[in-house]
Amino acid sequence: MRSCLFSAETAIYSVIYTVFNSMMLDRFHQQNVSLQVLIFTRSDEHVIRDFIVTKLGRSVTWWNATGGYTGGDVHVLCVYLSKFEVDDLRNAIHTVDPSAFMTVQEGVQIYGNFRKKLGD
């Protein structure tokens, strides 16, 4: 006769706790990883800027540049945000300008007025 150390109910609750705990730790960790995102677009930069300011609650800096390959006008937007927010930004940019170019640098150190958000 085999005996188990724990009942089936205890095992199920342990699995539920482990999954929930992992999800919460991942969410809080993702929100504390800072990213610098540079967006290069030829479309109206005001639409992307408005999304960043109103939906993400972040500030953005932008400037006009010249494309090295095409010689055409390009708008460059720079924003700092958490890793948890980058998917929303990526989806919005793809909706506005599917040919936009975006670079993401992880682990940047940010000093000054950068608000860390916990759970939106």
Side-chain angles (χ1 to χ4, degrees), residues 5-109:
L5 267 151
F6 303 104
S7 68
E9 182 179 319
T10 302
I12 291 171
Y13 282 125
S14 294
V15 169
I16 291 170
Y17 170 78
T18 301
V19 168
F20 179 75
N21 189 35
S22 296
M23 288 172 43
M24 293 306 295
L25 282 173
D26 185 54
R27 181 175 175 102
F28 286 127
H29 173 71
Q30 294 278 47
Q31 289 176 344
N32 286 318
V33 175
S34 301
L35 303 174
Q36 175 191 36
V37 179
L38 293 176
I39 305 153
F40 301 85
T41 181
R42 287 194 171 87
S43 71
D44 186 10
E45 77 278 1
H46 293 91
V47 176
I48 298 171
R49 181 201 63 191
D50 291 343
F51 174 82
I52 292 169
V53 172
T54 58
K55 300 293 185 195
L56 297 178
R58 299 292 185 189
S59 183
V60 61
T61 301
W62 79 92
W63 59 92
N64 294 317
T66 303
Y69 183 72
T70 63
D73 292 335
V74 177
H75 308 290
V76 181
L77 294 91
C78 178
V79 62
Y80 292 87
L81 39 79
S82 72
K83 196 170 187 177
F84 186 70
E85 298 166 314
V86 76
D87 287 334
D88 292 336
L89 178 61
R90 185 182 305 122
N91 292 334
I93 290 170
H94 183 71
T95 301
V96 173
D97 182 5
S99 64
F101 182 78
M102 186 170 118
T103 64
V104 179
Q105 183 176 351
E106 186 176 318
V108 294
Q109 295 183 2

